Amino acid sequence: MNIPTSNVQSSAESGAKPRERKQRHVAEEIRGKIYVYFCVLLMIVTIFSIVYFIASRGLAPFVSQGVALKDMLLGLKWKPEGEPPLFGALPFLFGSFATSLFAAIIAAPLAFCASIYMTEIMPKFGKTVLQPAIELLAGIPSVVYGFVGLSVIVPFLRDTFPGQGVGVLAGALVLSIMILPTITTIATDSLRSLPNGLKEGSYALGATRWQTISRIILPTTLPSLLTGVVLGIARAFGEALAVQMVIGNAPHIPHSLFESATTLTSIITLEMGNTTSGSLHNNALWSLALILLMMTFLFVFVVRMLERRVKR
Amino acid sequence: MIIEIEKLQLYYGEFQALKNVDLSIPERSVTAFIGPSGCGKSTLLRTLNRMNDSIPGVRIEGTVSIQGRDIYASDTEVEFLRKRVGMVFQQPNPFPKSIYDNVAYGPRLHGRTKKAELDELVEKSLRSASLWEEVKDVLKKSAWSLSGGQQQRLCIARALAVEPDILLMDESTSALDPISTTKIEELTRELCKQYTIVMVTHNMHQAARISDRTVFFLNGEVVEAADTQTLFSSPVDQRTEDYISGRFG
Ligand SMILES: Nc1ncnc2c1ncn2[C@@H]1O[C@H](COP(=O)(O)OP(=O)(O)OP(=O)(O)O)[C@@H](O)[C@H]1O
Ligand SMILES: [Mg+2]
């Protein structure tokens, strides 16, 4: 192999014999591989230890401490220090699902509108003003959201609706603002990546802008839009602090949106500090964490399914 | 003359892409635009159905009349104009819908919803695009499962379904294999009995084969417009001769 363009190669390299050069490449290759494999291994070990740790603690109540899984998933009473102790987690599950789904129902339409506005209607303004603003929302710490919820949303709800203001609706509202950036960003990306030809094809047939948006753009990007929604729900499901500040933390299933409730995450953060490691109460909280983890896996799985649909 | 263009100037911001274009295009014929890359063929084609409107900074002077009406007049309804002036693009761009829904898309936009009526229209359009025999049993299949050539004919069917008078084709065979290209060329000859076809092509043999009239562009100007036979056998302008004999471009 003789390459005549000697000025392209560095003088050191052109002096080296082909075999040396090859050896050097092999060595580099191996070094890179070792580095990459090490990082991957570290990540896998970390993930597995976390899962193993949560699972071993979280399964203990069912395996060795005499709690029935059914009682935890369907029980209504949470009295871990009572006689006998009760571990009904249904109210928390309900609270977590209710607030996150409700948050998604509020946030998704807003996010879709915002991203359509940013991509189709005012791309310039969207890119220079709206998008940075929304990305900024994503960077605000959750305690700030909780605080705003507590000092703005809760008083507003208290004055407008029956009840104390704290409750499912307050939690859902706070969460909806928190997940707005997630859904908007993903929706905007998917709208931007839509091939231009599709839109032009629609316009060329005499479609108006709204017809094109509703009949081509939204249906085509729907799987990606739903991916954003699921990731938003996942984020809302795992959020602890902000919700905990506005939901009222009452361990029962609420009868209305304005009643206090609680979520898996808030109960874990509230009670974890008061229990001793290895106790039944402590392990039961790990069971809740395990449920959270399972839900996260489920969300990831759903996202994967949606992504597969996008590719087709 | 179904299309009449007078003193058309088109600017992309500061850049003038079309200079003083005067051109008439006769009804029920194939007119081919040829010329080197960047000379403004697509730009002119897209002024005919106002697809340039959405590009920021575009400015147009002069008049473009279709069937005697100025399409840039303030009372022109762009959607209605595009219904009359259909367009087929360089890359086949079927919607991610079924074959049937692709063809029915246009008619539905314009208020046709009766199932029987749509069925008939879909069949007729697919037949005109000589695609019916290949897809009549799989109308519910996704349009993206078709081959590139079939997709392009589907796009032609889709454009025909809104019953246009004029069909604009911008290098519509350049992304296709020779057999699909031949099919679409034959189709074009067939369609020009009913429709006015204006096409852009880089392939001079194609222009010579299928067009009735040829327009040669250079740097945003019309250098020569004539019967295809005349233009290729005895061009008047030296630049045309240089181009068709392959001396530049
Ligand atoms: N959106 C745009 N903004 C600015 N300039 C443009 C735009 N579209 C085209 N132009 C310029 O206008 C000129 C004509 O472009 P046009 O696409 O009409 O050329 P064309 O003849 O179709 O070329 P090709 O054969 O490569 O398709 C080119 O110089 C191009 O750079
Ligand atoms: Mg072009």
Side-chain angles (χ1 to χ4, degrees):
Chain A
M1 199 177 65
N2 46 12
I3 305 158
T5 52
S6 58
N7 55 333
V8 174
Q9 296 168 324
S10 72
S11 55
E13 198 158 323
S14 59
K17 293 207 177 72
R19 185 180 305 143
E20 282 170 36
R21 224 184 302 157
K22 192 174 175 197
Q23 274 173 352
R24 212 173 38 236
H25 282 182
V26 170
E28 252 174 57
E29 187 85 343
I30 288 176
R31 225 178 309 147
K33 259 192 191 155
I34 289 176
Y35 182 68
V36 170
Y37 277 111
F38 176 74
C39 291
V40 169
L41 197 71
L42 194 72
M43 246 161 62
I44 292 176
V45 167
T46 315
I47 292 171
F48 268 95
S49 351
I50 292 176
V51 173
Y52 174 76
F53 184 72
I54 297 179
S56 66
R57 294 296 196 87
L59 289 176
F62 311 119
V63 177
S64 56
Q65 290 172 303
V67 179
L69 179 63
K70 186 173 130 267
D71 289 345
M72 176 168 282
L73 291 180
L74 300 175
L76 293 170
K77 284 257 178 319
W78 178 262
K79 284 208 177 90
E81 307 289 346
E83 237 356 285
L86 293 172
F87 295 99
L90 188 62
F92 315 143
L93 276 166
F94 180 86
S96 281
F97 272 109
T99 47
S100 1
L101 290 181
F102 213 65
I105 291 172
I106 301 170
L110 287 176
F112 292 170
C113 290
S115 55
I116 285 173
Y117 184 84
M118 284 195 288
T119 52
E120 301 302 321
I121 298 174
M122 292 280 279
K124 256 214 174 116
F125 176 76
K127 224 183 189 135
T128 52
V129 182
L130 213 54
Q131 186 155 10
I134 286 174
E135 275 161 12
L136 198 72
L137 275 185
I140 298 176
S142 54
V143 64
V144 176
Y145 282 106
F147 194 59
V148 171
L150 203 56
S151 48
V152 180
I153 294 174
V154 169
F156 169 76
L157 291 176
R158 186 165 51 219
D159 297 341
T160 326
F161 298 105
Q164 294 301 308
V166 292
V168 177
L169 186 61
L173 283 173
V174 169
L175 283 176
S176 69
I177 305 169
M178 294 183 69
I179 66 177
L180 198 61
T182 311
I183 307 182
T184 312
T185 309
I186 292 171
T188 310
D189 284 350
S190 74
L191 291 186
R192 285 227 176 94
S193 66
L194 191 71
N196 215 11
L198 288 185
K199 280 184 258 174
E200 285 207 313
S202 172
Y203 288 126
L205 287 166
T208 61
R209 187 153 69 185
W210 289 115
Q211 284 172 328
T212 304
I213 290 172
S214 64
R215 299 183 193 205
I216 299 294
I217 298 180
L218 287 181
T220 310
T221 51
L222 192 64
S224 318
L225 298 182
L226 290 180
T227 303
V229 173
V230 174
L231 287 176
I233 293 177
R235 166 143 202 237
F237 208 82
E239 171 56 37
L241 196 57
V243 194
Q244 188 191 318
M245 287 168 80
V246 297
I247 199 168
N249 300 308
H252 64 88
I253 294 184
H255 298 290
S256 84
L257 287 174
F258 309 106
E259 233 174 86
S260 327
T262 192
T263 63
L264 283 170
T265 45
S266 2
I267 207 77
I268 295 174
T269 46
L270 281 177
E271 296 193 353
M272 201 51 124
N274 309 326
T275 59
T276 48
S277 180
S279 69
L280 180 54
H281 188 178
N282 184 278
N283 281 348
L285 292 176
W286 282 110
S287 304
L288 298 186
L290 186 61
I291 294 175
L292 271 174
L293 191 68
M294 290 313 197
M295 291 309 303
T296 311
F297 284 156
L298 184 71
F299 290 133
V300 171
F301 180 71
V302 172
V303 167
R304 277 289 154 82
M305 297 273 288
L306 287 169
E307 270 170 0
R308 198 165 305 156
R309 271 200 59 190
V310 179
K311 288 212 188 82
R312 259 198 291 132
Chain B
M1 293 290 158
I2 188 168
I3 302 174
E4 279 175 280
I5 302 166
E6 274 171 45
K7 298 203 171 52
L8 178 70
Q9 327 273 352
L10 186 142
Y11 303 84
Y12 289 114
E14 291 296 298
F15 175 74
Q16 183 166 10
L18 293 176
K19 296 166 194 158
N20 220 8
V21 173
D22 282 304
L23 192 65
S24 311
I25 292 172
E27 208 168 344
R28 290 171 205 232
S29 64
V30 179
T31 302
F33 291 177
I34 59 168
S37 187
C39 64
K41 307 177 296 290
S42 301
T43 302
L44 181 61
L45 202 68
R46 292 162 61 91
T47 51
L48 299 178
N49 64 347
R50 293 186 56 172
M51 286 298 280
N52 286 329
D53 285 18
S54 56
I55 299 172
V58 171
R59 206 171 79 249
I60 288 169
E61 291 161 15
T63 54
V64 180
S65 309
I66 289 179
Q67 289 159 334
R69 295 192 53 185
D70 181 0
I71 60 167
Y72 283 90
S74 55
D75 63 345
T76 308
E77 218 189 307
V78 181
E79 287 77 31
F80 186 61
L81 168 72
R82 291 182 186 152
K83 182 180 173 311
R84 288 182 301 149
V85 185
M87 186 162 210
V88 181
F89 297 81
Q90 179 171 6
Q91 290 291 335
N93 59 347
F95 304 129
K97 299 173 183 291
S98 71
I99 295 171
Y100 182 97
D101 287 339
N102 261 278
V103 183
Y105 182 82
R108 280 179 178 143
L109 288 177
H110 299 287
R112 299 251 193 130
T113 47
K114 284 203 209 78
K115 175 94 172 59
E117 205 181 346
L118 281 176
D119 284 351
E120 196 180 319
L121 201 51
V122 168
E123 175 170 348
K124 184 170 147 240
S125 313
L126 285 169
R127 275 188 196 284
S128 318
S130 58
L131 188 61
W132 175 253
E133 290 305 323
E134 286 155 70
V135 301
K136 64 180 178 209
D137 300 319
V138 291
L139 290 175
K140 292 276 162 267
K141 255 176 90 173
S142 164
W144 285 9
S145 65
L146 297 175
S147 74
Q150 290 175 322
Q151 289 188 4
Q152 195 63 300
R153 276 179 286 147
L154 180 66
C155 291
I156 294 177
R158 187 175 74 183
L160 296 180
V162 294
E163 301 177 318
D165 301 314
I166 299 170
L167 201 57
L168 310 175
M169 301 170 82
D170 192 347
E171 296 182 44
S172 297
T173 59
S174 66
L176 304 180
D177 62 284
I179 292 173
S180 305
T181 302
T182 311
K183 274 202 177 131
I184 289 185
E185 286 181 3
E186 285 166 359
L187 179 58
T188 312
R189 279 320 308 172
E190 199 54 40
L191 289 174
C192 76
K193 293 173 188 158
Q194 281 183 64
Y195 305 90
T196 306
I197 295 177
V198 186
M199 56 184 282
V200 172
T201 177
H202 267 287
N203 181 337
M204 265 175 288
H205 299 292
Q206 184 173 61
R209 271 196 304 273
I210 60 176
S211 71
D212 301 303
R213 281 177 69 77
T214 300
V215 184
F216 172 59
F217 286 80
L218 196 60
N219 300 326
E221 283 175 89
V222 174
V223 173
E224 192 164 346
D227 277 351
T228 300
Q229 284 255 311
T230 322
L231 188 126
F232 280 100
S233 57
S234 47
V236 177
D237 198 291
Q238 184 61 40
R239 291 169 291 174
T240 317
E241 189 172 345
D242 288 349
Y243 184 73
I244 58 180
S245 58
R247 251 166 279 171
F248 74 90

Short mmCIF file of all heavy atoms in Angstrom, two decimals, chain B residues 12 15 17 36-43 55 171 202, ligand 1:
data_model
loop_
_atom_site.label_atom_id
_atom_site.label_comp_id
_atom_site.label_asym_id
_atom_site.label_seq_id
_atom_site.Cartn_x
_atom_site.Cartn_y
_atom_site.Cartn_z
N TYR B 12 -35.28 36.06 -3.82
CA TYR B 12 -35.14 35.45 -2.50
C TYR B 12 -34.35 36.46 -1.68
O TYR B 12 -33.13 36.50 -1.77
CB TYR B 12 -34.36 34.15 -2.57
CG TYR B 12 -35.08 32.99 -3.24
CD1 TYR B 12 -34.62 32.45 -4.43
CD2 TYR B 12 -36.19 32.41 -2.63
CE1 TYR B 12 -35.26 31.37 -5.02
CE2 TYR B 12 -36.84 31.33 -3.21
CZ TYR B 12 -36.37 30.81 -4.41
OH TYR B 12 -36.99 29.74 -4.97
N PHE B 15 -31.36 38.24 -3.47
CA PHE B 15 -30.96 37.50 -4.66
C PHE B 15 -32.11 37.36 -5.66
O PHE B 15 -33.21 36.94 -5.29
CB PHE B 15 -30.46 36.11 -4.22
CG PHE B 15 -30.14 35.21 -5.37
CD1 PHE B 15 -28.99 35.40 -6.12
CD2 PHE B 15 -30.98 34.16 -5.70
CE1 PHE B 15 -28.68 34.56 -7.17
CE2 PHE B 15 -30.69 33.32 -6.75
CZ PHE B 15 -29.53 33.53 -7.49
N ALA B 17 -33.79 35.46 -8.39
CA ALA B 17 -33.71 34.10 -8.95
C ALA B 17 -34.38 34.01 -10.31
O ALA B 17 -34.02 33.15 -11.11
CB ALA B 17 -34.35 33.11 -7.99
N PRO B 36 -29.08 24.43 -16.61
CA PRO B 36 -28.14 23.97 -15.60
C PRO B 36 -28.69 24.15 -14.18
O PRO B 36 -29.63 24.90 -13.97
CB PRO B 36 -26.91 24.85 -15.83
CG PRO B 36 -27.39 26.02 -16.59
CD PRO B 36 -28.56 25.57 -17.37
N SER B 37 -28.08 23.45 -13.26
CA SER B 37 -28.52 23.50 -11.87
C SER B 37 -28.48 24.93 -11.32
O SER B 37 -27.54 25.66 -11.59
CB SER B 37 -27.60 22.60 -11.04
OG SER B 37 -28.11 22.50 -9.75
N GLY B 38 -29.51 25.31 -10.60
CA GLY B 38 -29.54 26.63 -9.97
C GLY B 38 -30.01 27.74 -10.87
O GLY B 38 -29.92 28.91 -10.52
N CYS B 39 -30.55 27.40 -12.06
CA CYS B 39 -30.93 28.47 -12.98
C CYS B 39 -32.37 28.94 -12.74
O CYS B 39 -32.82 29.87 -13.41
CB CYS B 39 -30.77 28.01 -14.42
SG CYS B 39 -31.86 26.66 -14.84
N GLY B 40 -33.09 28.30 -11.85
CA GLY B 40 -34.41 28.81 -11.49
C GLY B 40 -35.58 28.01 -12.01
O GLY B 40 -36.72 28.47 -11.95
N LYS B 41 -35.34 26.79 -12.50
CA LYS B 41 -36.45 25.99 -13.03
C LYS B 41 -37.46 25.66 -11.95
O LYS B 41 -38.66 25.88 -12.11
CB LYS B 41 -35.90 24.68 -13.63
CG LYS B 41 -34.80 24.88 -14.63
CD LYS B 41 -34.24 23.55 -15.13
CE LYS B 41 -33.56 22.71 -14.07
NZ LYS B 41 -32.29 23.21 -13.57
N SER B 42 -36.96 25.13 -10.80
CA SER B 42 -37.87 24.78 -9.72
C SER B 42 -38.58 26.02 -9.21
O SER B 42 -39.77 25.98 -8.89
CB SER B 42 -37.12 24.13 -8.58
OG SER B 42 -36.47 22.98 -9.01
N THR B 43 -37.84 27.09 -9.12
CA THR B 43 -38.43 28.32 -8.61
C THR B 43 -39.62 28.74 -9.47
O THR B 43 -40.70 29.06 -8.94
CB THR B 43 -37.38 29.44 -8.59
OG1 THR B 43 -36.28 29.01 -7.79
CG2 THR B 43 -37.94 30.73 -8.04
N ILE B 55 -41.89 30.47 1.82
CA ILE B 55 -40.47 30.74 2.05
C ILE B 55 -40.32 32.20 2.47
O ILE B 55 -40.77 33.10 1.76
CB ILE B 55 -39.65 30.46 0.78
CG1 ILE B 55 -39.78 28.99 0.40
CG2 ILE B 55 -38.18 30.82 0.99
CD1 ILE B 55 -39.16 28.65 -0.94
N GLU B 171 -38.55 17.25 -11.61
CA GLU B 171 -37.59 16.14 -11.69
C GLU B 171 -38.18 14.87 -11.09
O GLU B 171 -37.53 14.19 -10.29
CB GLU B 171 -36.30 16.49 -10.97
CG GLU B 171 -35.57 17.66 -11.59
CD GLU B 171 -34.26 17.94 -10.87
OE1 GLU B 171 -33.54 16.98 -10.57
OE2 GLU B 171 -33.96 19.11 -10.62
N HIS B 202 -33.54 17.18 -15.82
CA HIS B 202 -32.13 17.37 -16.08
C HIS B 202 -31.69 16.50 -17.24
O HIS B 202 -30.56 16.59 -17.71
CB HIS B 202 -31.31 16.99 -14.84
CG HIS B 202 -31.05 18.17 -13.98
ND1 HIS B 202 -30.16 19.14 -14.30
CD2 HIS B 202 -31.61 18.55 -12.82
CE1 HIS B 202 -30.16 20.07 -13.38
NE2 HIS B 202 -31.03 19.74 -12.46
N1 LIG C 1 -35.33 29.17 -0.43
C1 LIG C 1 -34.36 29.80 -1.09
N2 LIG C 1 -33.74 30.83 -0.53
C2 LIG C 1 -32.75 31.48 -1.17
N3 LIG C 1 -32.32 31.17 -2.41
C3 LIG C 1 -32.90 30.15 -3.03
C4 LIG C 1 -33.96 29.39 -2.41
N4 LIG C 1 -34.34 28.42 -3.25
C5 LIG C 1 -33.57 28.55 -4.35
N5 LIG C 1 -32.72 29.60 -4.23
C6 LIG C 1 -31.74 30.03 -5.24
O1 LIG C 1 -32.44 30.34 -6.41
C7 LIG C 1 -31.75 29.85 -7.54
C8 LIG C 1 -32.66 28.97 -8.35
O2 LIG C 1 -32.97 27.84 -7.61
P1 LIG C 1 -33.85 26.65 -8.18
O3 LIG C 1 -34.08 25.69 -7.09
O4 LIG C 1 -35.04 27.22 -8.84
O5 LIG C 1 -32.88 26.02 -9.26
P2 LIG C 1 -33.12 24.81 -10.24
O6 LIG C 1 -32.99 25.34 -11.60
O7 LIG C 1 -34.35 24.09 -9.89
O8 LIG C 1 -31.85 23.92 -9.92
P3 LIG C 1 -31.76 22.34 -9.83
O9 LIG C 1 -31.68 21.88 -11.23
O10 LIG C 1 -30.48 22.10 -9.10
O11 LIG C 1 -32.95 21.83 -9.11
C9 LIG C 1 -30.53 29.13 -7.03
O12 LIG C 1 -29.42 29.98 -7.22
C10 LIG C 1 -30.78 28.91 -5.58
O13 LIG C 1 -29.60 29.03 -4.85
#
